[in-house]
Structure formats: C-alpha cells, structure tokens
Amino acid sequence: MPQVRLLAAPVLLALLLLAGCQRAPELYQDRMLAFGTLVDISLYGVTPEQGRAVSARLQQQFLAQQQAWNPWQPGALATLNAALAAGHGTTVDAQLAHLIARGRALAAASGDRFNPAIGNLIELWGFHRADSALPSAVPAPQAVDQALAQRPRMVDLQLDGLQVSSRNPAVQLDLGALAKGYAVDLALETLREMGVENALVNAGGDLRTLGRPGKRPWRIGIKNPREPGVLASLEVDAGESVFTSGDYERFFEHAGGRYHHILDPATGYPAGGVRSVTIVHDDAVTADAAATALFVAGPEAWPAVARAMDVRQVMLIDAQGRAQMTPAMAERIQFERQPAPPILIRPL
Amino acid sequence: MSRTDTVITILAALLVAALYWLLWQRGPAGSEASIWVAGQETMRVPLSVDRRLEVEGAVGRSVIEIADGAVRVLDSPGPRKICVRMGWLREAGDSAICLPNQVVVRIEGDQPRFDAMNF
Amino acid sequence: MGNQKLETTPLQSSREDVRIAYLTALAIVIHIAESALPSPLPGVKPGLANIITIAVLCRFGWKMAAWVSLLRALVGSLLIGTFLSPTFFLSFAGALAAVAALAPANRLPGIGPIGLSVLASLAHMAAQFGVAYALFIPHPALLGLLPVLMTAALVLGLVNGRIAVSMLRQLESPNTSGKTPDNTA
C-alpha cells in the first residue's frame, strides 16, 4: 500500500536518529590515586570492557612508577641515592636511566634552574615526605649554606648505559619535577599500545592528550586555586601537554612568611616573584621540567630560559597578579574571568 | 484514530522513553559530589541539600560540609590540611585530596565546557 | 448635492469568516485561562489552545491554522499583559514550532486530528523547553525535567486530539449555530 510505504520513511528516519544518538563518542572515565594526586583518565571510543582493561593496566603502571621514582620511600631511586651518597655507582632499569638522562639534559638547558640533584636541600626543608609533620620552621641559614656549598649538579652524574655514578656524593636525586611528566608520557604510550586513539590523562591538573574527542579540539580550563572559578581556557590539539607549577601546591606558613616547595637551587630558598607557570608543549617531560625551571628563573629572566629549553607557549602569573606570556600563548589563551588580569607579552 | 495516528503516537512514545533513558541516568542530571575512600568511590551526595558528614578514612575521620551547592573538607586528619585549604569546590572536576586519610571529594556532573582542568 | 447616495458595500462576512473569528476568540480565551495554571517550569504551558489550532487545520487548512495560532499567542499575551516578556517568548516559540511541525505533518497520508495533535503538542513543548533552557536557565539540572514535560505533552496531545475530533464533528454539522449577521446562508 503506498500509504504504508510513505509512512515507512519517517519511521526509518526516526529510528536512525535514535540510533545515532547512541553513537556519540563513547566516553569511558576512571580515576585513581597516584603520585600524591588524583589521576583522571578519559578514553574516547572504547567499550566499557576495553576501558576497564586500560584502567587496570595504567593503575598498575602508575603504582610501580610511583614506587620506583619516589626517593623517600624504599624503591629503585632510594637505592640509587643511597649508593651515590656512599660514593659508588649502581645499575638502574632502562626507564630510570632514561629519566635521569632527560633530567640531565633539561637541567643543562635550563642553566640548572631545574636541578633534580638537590634532594638534600629538599629534605632539609621538609617538603619531601607526604605525611610527616609540616616543617615547623625555616631551616637554619647555616644548614642551607652548607647544602648549597656542596653544589650538587646533574653534570656530576656519570651515565654509562644503565650504570649511574656520581663524582659528588652530595647529589641526591629528587625527580619530582619530572616524574609526573614521564609517567604521563609513558601512560600515553601504553594507551597507543592498547589501541586507544583518543584519550586524555590528567594527573592532578597536569595533562596530556591523545587524538581528539570527536571532531573538535580539547577544551581545557585553567584554574588558579587562589581564585574561585576558571581563570582561562585553552583549546588543545592532539598530543599536546599542559603542565602548571604553582606556589600553592605545597607550602607552609611560618612567622608571617609563606614558604613553598619550588626551591631555587642557587639560593636554597623558595623561588620568589612568581605565583604560577603554565606550559603547553608536545612532550610532557619537557613541559613538567620547564614549568619548574621558568618558575625559578623568575618574572624577569624567564623568556631567556624558555628560549633555551625550546618552549614556546608559556604563561607566567607573577606575584603582582600580572599574566606574562609568549605571543604564541597569547594567541590561543582565552581569559574567562572578567576583568582579565593585566597581560604582558614577552616575545622570546 | 487512523492507522497513521497510531503509528505517530507509538513513535512519540518511543521518543519520550528515549529521553528518560538519555537524561535520567543516575537521577536527573545535576551536580553531585563523589566521595572516595582508599581509591574506591564510596558514595555520592547531591549538592542541593546543605549538610555536614563525616567519612571514616585510613587514619581517622574527615569532615565534609555541603552548603549553597558547593562542598568542602572542613577538617581531616593529617598535618598539612592540604585538602582543607582547597576550600570550596564548585565546578565539575574540582577535587580535594586528603592524602593521609585517603579520602577524596570530587564534584561530579556534566562538564559541558571543559574536557579537563589544569591547575 | 447632499442627496447623493453613498455607495456602500456591505461587509460580507461569510460563514467561514465568522467561524474562524469565533474559533480564534475561543483560542485566546483558552490561552488566557491556561496562564492561570501552575507549571513545573515557570511559563511552560500545556498548550490546550492547540485544540483550536488542530480543528482549524483540519477544517480550514494550514494557512488559516497558522494565522489563528500565532494571532492567539500575540493577542493573548497582549491581553494578559505579558507581551515581550519571557512568558510571551515561550508561548510564541511553542506556537511557532507547533505550526511549523504541522505543515509537513499535514502531508502525511492518513493522518488525523489525533496524530496531528500529538506532533503539534510535542513540538510545542520541545520549543518551550528549548527557549527556557537556552535563554533563561541554561543549567544542566533542567534537563531532568524534559522527559517529564514531554510525557505530559504526549498525553495532552492525545487528549487535545480527541477533543478536536469532537469539535470538528460539531463544526461539520450544518445545524450548528454560526450566527451570520448578514443572513446570507
């Protein structure tokens, strides 16, 4: 009957539309505690079974890395540090060796503003343990000077394949400013291995993307915990990372002063003049290290260090609340807060 | 009622049913906070009801307060009180992590604007 | 001079015109009465006046139904005093959507007042919700109300359609009153 046939068309259309509704990029999300923070993973276009499998593997991976790279708990890095302090070398696994090598290269590029060798200084301040009592006081100036005088530097390390040794027994590695970046990069490798094409790994605010969530770029909100709400937003493309270092992450107050965990290796005291540094870069390890290095470099000198580390997209919020940024960052960042903070563009 | 009318009505009913299925997952879409203990999500609380609750964690009790559609950790065992200092959580994705007690509070809900937050 | 007869053309209202005027007035009355009803979402109305829209559609065609419906929304709001208020935008959007949906719907073979009413009612409610969500309360929590509103729209569509059927039967009957002042039957 022609009537029925004509009716079939809209019926089919309706069914197709309903079926289409289900086809929106399937999102699988999970979160896990690792590296002292909450790691969110978002996977697009996977079935729940695949999602669970990926999640389980990443969780295992993160926990293993956390243990291996935490110098303050028994593990591979702690063992290495003990050996270095005792004056002899030891063998490490490939990942740790790679991490140390990258750390050394980045330290050199940053003029040692990023210096993972100052574990002694960090321990002196008390920022190392996650659960110990807060430092009740600033360390004695003599102790700080003493630690500085020993000049622990990454160049003191000798890397021979998987063999690591040091000329300077004062070198104690704290890879905290690098480890999250490496964990995120390795997580992405695992995701690719497992056939995931579009995902986002967000380790407590430091993130990297894989592919795209559908046909659009990723929309990332930038917060400064000093203010409520979203400070700015960024459209991020496949494979880019966004890392931020801030003076609000770990700090303590004492006798009217505020002391945060990003120490300036040159002075031995927390770096001043900066509230936060946000870096956009392809590689998470570089982004992580650069965020620290530029923080230490300070509100005046940071562009030179950014140039040296080949990091083009930087936003630095200084102690006056001014947003300093590179032209490349200015092009893509959008401030959500009205009024927007004063902006200073600093070409590299 | 003609045959066409019947077909239309049935399709309309299917459409409406689909709306329930799409929009009524886990209750009407709205802001909730999820509370995690030792890495597992243990409960969800709506942000619409002002209240205070205590959560038993690894080393003691964390006190969580909900008011005016926002949530915060009022107190938690541990020397640094980092999660307390996070203050009020409002937007989807905001979280406070009480590491010593292994308690995490996170705002759930649609993230219509952002895929992730950087901070 | 003064005795020149002025040519007057008596205003010819056909029976149809009177019927349509009557129906429009009825629609406006229903619209106003409906504004007194409470609603889960302020301003969103069940659309009872659509009974008239459907009846006019089946008896006088789509163009006339469009006129009656949009006129009803405009005049109704003017009379209540909500012209250009949020309530007006909601009801106008609803009327517009219903009218727009009825154009293709009317072409569906074998469709009757009930089917038309269901489609108009769904379109009406969807448009109202859309405007409310987009312009007034863009909060995700609102989405939870949509299925409930659309269920109500479906039920009301069926009820309205049934009433429209009765109304149409009355309109078809030549014995019903339709006072024609010119008595040209």
Side-chain angles (χ1 to χ4, degrees):
Chain A
M1 271 183 291
Q3 279 188 339
V4 176
R5 229 175 286 146
L6 265 165
L7 211 50
V11 172
L12 271 167
L13 186 63
L15 285 171
L16 273 169
L17 284 171
L18 279 172
C21 285
Q22 287 194 316
R23 226 43 73 72
E26 282 161 30
L27 173 60
Y28 175 86
Q29 283 183 310
D30 197 7
R31 42 202 75 98
M32 48 199 84
L33 277 174
F35 301 102
T37 190
L38 201 59
V39 181
D40 278 289
I41 55 170
S42 308
L43 311 172
Y44 284 82
V46 300
T47 64
E49 295 78 47
Q50 275 179 292
R52 279 191 287 270
V54 170
S55 197
R57 169 102 177 256
L58 283 183
Q59 182 141 34
Q60 246 182 339
Q61 195 171 300
F62 287 143
L63 287 175
Q65 288 161 348
Q66 185 182 281
Q67 194 188 19
W69 304 338
N70 183 344
W72 314 110
Q73 307 272 306
L77 188 53
T79 310
L80 174 60
N81 277 338
L84 295 180
H88 51 76
T90 186
T91 318
V92 296
D93 68 82
Q95 279 186 357
L96 191 49
H98 179 89
L99 196 50
I100 294 171
R102 297 248 14 224
R104 196 163 67 159
L106 287 161
S110 73
D112 276 335
R113 286 167 181 87
F114 164 69
N115 185 351
I118 57 170
N120 278 339
L121 199 56
I122 294 173
E123 191 176 5
L124 188 62
W125 278 87
F127 285 118
H128 54 297
R129 283 192 230 276
D131 55 350
S132 73
L134 273 171
S136 55
V138 178
Q142 302 96 309
V144 174
D145 289 339
Q146 201 172 29
L148 280 183
Q150 292 167 328
R151 293 182 52 85
R153 296 277 183 269
M154 291 303 279
V155 293
D156 294 332
L157 287 175
Q158 279 128 347
L159 302 170
D160 188 6
L162 299 178
Q163 183 81 2
V164 184
S165 56
S166 169
R167 287 193 293 254
N168 184 345
V171 170
Q172 293 286 281
L173 294 171
D174 183 336
L175 301 170
L178 209 58
K180 245 201 280 184
Y182 196 33
V184 169
D185 278 339
L186 288 176
L188 250 64
E189 267 182 36
T190 303
L191 287 175
R192 276 189 215 105
E193 240 180 78
M194 295 184 82
V196 178
E197 291 177 340
N198 305 290
L200 190 152
V201 178
N202 186 350
D206 294 327
L207 58 96
R208 189 164 176 198
T209 64
L210 180 65
R212 282 193 190 83
K215 290 198 174 27
R216 56 172 178 86
W218 302 88
R219 288 187 288 262
I220 309 292
I222 300 184
K223 288 188 72 146
N224 183 331
R226 270 221 183 87
E227 300 128 10
V230 179
L231 171 67
S233 66
L234 212 47
E235 282 194 346
V236 166
D237 209 353
E240 293 191 297
S241 355
V242 187
F243 272 67
T244 296
S245 271
D247 69 350
Y248 39 77
E249 290 164 20
R250 278 188 280 162
F251 66 92
F252 68 93
E253 273 148 344
H254 173 77
R258 195 164 174 280
Y259 303 93
H260 63 81
H261 76 295
I262 303 174
L263 302 176
D264 182 344
T267 66
Y269 287 86
V274 180
R275 284 194 201 155
S276 74
V277 176
T278 300
I279 308 272
V280 180
H281 197 270
D282 288 329
D283 162 48
V285 170
T286 308
D288 203 357
T292 298
L294 296 188
F295 194 109
V296 171
E300 298 305 315
W302 67 265
V305 181
R307 222 177 10 242
M309 295 183 83
D310 199 22
V311 165
R312 307 262 137 207
Q313 298 173 73
V314 182
M315 177 171 74
L316 179 146
I317 314 262
D318 62 28
Q320 281 75 43
R322 208 167 33 163
Q324 303 190 23
M325 58 184 85
T326 57
M329 182 65 110
E331 272 170 27
R332 61 190 308 185
I333 201 156
Q334 203 168 335
F335 282 98
E336 304 281 330
R337 217 173 40 122
Q338 296 305 327
I343 295 174
L344 173 60
I345 309 237
R346 306 198 52 187
L348 291 181
Chain B
M1 194 145 139
S2 76
R3 187 121 131 255
T4 318
D5 287 348
T6 317
V7 174
I8 298 271
T9 309
I10 293 177
L11 282 178
L14 283 172
L15 174 70
V16 175
L19 285 175
Y20 280 103
W21 182 83
L22 276 170
L23 299 173
W24 270 37
Q25 289 157 358
R26 282 191 295 212
S31 280
E32 319 175 280
S34 59
I35 301 178
W36 301 59
V37 179
Q40 298 290 324
E41 183 174 330
T42 46
M43 64 190 288
R44 288 207 173 201
V45 283
L47 296 179
S48 47
V49 182
D50 289 3
R51 61 170 147 164
R52 200 179 277 205
L53 37 91
E54 291 189 2
V55 179
E56 193 86 44
V59 295
R61 294 212 186 122
S62 300
V63 183
I64 295 165
E65 183 182 12
I66 300 170
D68 292 328
V71 64
R72 67 170 169 174
V73 179
L74 205 50
D75 194 20
S76 185
R80 301 185 142 188
K81 313 275 182 209
I82 292 175
C83 60
V84 177
R85 282 199 288 212
M86 277 300 291
W88 289 102
L89 311 174
R90 259 169 222 287
E91 304 189 17
D94 285 353
S95 56
I97 304 167
C98 306
L99 217 45
N101 209 17
Q102 291 190 33
V103 169
V104 177
V105 182
R106 190 178 189 274
I107 302 273
E108 300 294 336
D110 310 316
Q111 295 186 304
R113 297 180 64 214
F114 299 114
D115 298 299
M117 286 295 198
N118 168 268
F119 47 87
Chain C
M1 274 197 352
N3 262 345
Q4 202 169 23
K5 227 175 168 187
L6 279 169
E7 276 279 345
T8 52
T9 318
L11 204 59
Q12 300 263 353
S13 346
S14 71
R15 199 191 198 116
E16 272 206 7
D17 289 338
V18 173
R19 282 256 168 81
I20 290 171
Y22 163 73
L23 287 169
T24 310
L26 191 56
I28 293 171
V29 168
I30 298 178
H31 180 98
I32 295 176
E34 197 180 63
S35 72
L37 290 173
S39 161
L41 199 58
V44 170
K45 296 298 174 197
L48 293 165
N50 268 332
I51 300 172
I52 307 293
T53 313
I54 300 299
V56 172
L57 174 71
C58 292
R59 179 83 176 76
F60 299 109
W62 180 82
K63 238 188 179 162
M64 204 51 67
W67 264 121
V68 170
S69 183
L70 296 175
L71 208 61
R72 176 258 304 167
L74 256 147
V75 174
S77 81
L78 279 166
L79 286 173
I80 304 174
T82 58
F83 187 55
L84 292 184
S85 74
T87 314
F88 166 72
F89 286 115
L90 288 170
S91 83
F92 197 75
L96 208 59
V99 153
L102 285 172
N106 209 18
R107 288 200 205 181
L108 286 174
I111 198 152
I114 298 190
L116 288 165
S117 175
V118 165
L119 286 171
S121 184
L122 292 178
H124 177 264
M125 188 59 83
Q128 283 190 98
F129 182 83
V131 170
Y133 187 74
L135 291 181
F136 305 129
I137 317 176
H139 195 277
L142 215 69
L143 289 170
L145 268 176
L146 184 58
V148 181
L149 288 172
M150 292 302 265
T151 312
L154 175 55
V155 170
L156 274 159
L158 287 166
V159 167
N160 284 357
R162 193 66 198 79
I163 300 177
V165 167
S166 310
M167 182 169 273
L168 279 164
R169 245 178 250 141
Q170 283 218 322
L171 286 174
E172 302 292 343
S173 157
N175 286 333
T176 52
S177 73
K179 290 195 198 118
T180 51
D182 53 26
N183 278 318
T184 56

